[in-house]
Amino acid sequence: MEVKDTLLENMDNILVSIMYSLDLSAAFDMLRKDTFVDNMRSHMPPALLNIIADFLSNRRFYVNVGDLKSEMFMLDRGCPQGSVLGTVLFNLYIGKIHEMLPPEVCFVAYADDSYVICPGKNLDEAKALAESSLRNHIQSLRDLGMVVNGDKT
């Protein structure tokens, strides 16, 4: 709804809009526990942060196919996917991305899906804003250890 409302508002204000969407490769698997803790230290009570750090620590997995089972592997990063807490933690992890974008853009994100709407008085202005926003957006995600899937972006 926010994307639609922003596009309609831009049209009402006779602005050109360019929108892009980024696709992240294995997004939940790339969350770094240490980066998460560092970023959240001033935003969460220490006891809660310790519980979350424990939740993200010492995770292991193995592969089971028929009667065959692999050895146990340790995961040094990642956030469990498919749970409410996993999505919340991921949203907190990437939550400051919008601060790296110009204030005139509309940033809409939920988990690993994000959309950015770049308005301009004309196509050239909107294009310049979109290009600079995209560069900053990708760099901010890389700084968090995320990988942008160029084929699906």
Side-chain angles (χ1 to χ4, degrees), residues 4 21-22 28 39-41 47 55 62 66 87 91 94 97 102 112-113 120 124 126 130 137 143 145 150 153:
K4 182 186 108 189
S21 174
L22 292 182
F28 281 75
N39 289 346
M40 293 293 113
R41 197 173 307 282
F55 178 72
Y62 65 91
T87 301
N91 283 338
I94 64 162
I97 294 289
D112 59 341
D113 295 319
D124 289 336
H137 195 169
D143 291 346
T153 292

Side-chain angles (χ1 to χ4, degrees), residues 114-132:
S114 62
Y115 304 88
V116 178
I117 301 170
C118 304
K121 294 177 186 160
N122 55 52
L123 184 58
D124 289 336
E125 189 177 290
K127 182 180 174 186
L129 182 60
E131 288 172 348
S132 68

Side-chain angles (χ1 to χ4, degrees), residues 63-75:
V63 177
N64 188 16
V65 178
D67 294 335
L68 301 174
K69 188 186 326 184
S70 74
E71 64 182 285
M72 190 71 67
F73 296 96
M74 291 294 295
L75 294 171

